[in-house]
Amino acid sequence: MFAPFLVLLNAWFEKAERKRREALLASSRDIYDLEDRIRTYDKNGWHSR
């Protein structure tokens, strides 16, 4: 009964998180800042900020 709701809720949270990450990366000043952000998040995890 709740399984379809949980699947939809999970998909919504994943989409929101992906948009947050994309916005954060898009706000990089230049390619070096972008690479640094990607490296930092790969090392520390995407949920660290």
Side-chain angles (χ1 to χ4, degrees), residues 16-32:
E17 177 64 20
R18 186 171 45 250
K19 282 185 175 188
R20 185 189 70 82
R21 267 188 242 145
E22 288 175 1
L24 185 71
L25 294 176
S27 67
S28 300
R29 292 182 304 269
D30 53 30
I31 190 71
Y32 304 108

Side-chain angles (χ1 to χ4, degrees), residues 35-46:
E35 289 176 348
D36 186 49
R37 288 179 189 213
I38 291 171
R39 203 173 303 113
T40 298
Y41 287 110
D42 282 344
K43 185 173 115 181
N44 297 332
W46 285 96

Side-chain angles (χ1 to χ4, degrees), residues 12 33 39 45:
W12 182 81
D33 185 32
R39 203 173 303 113

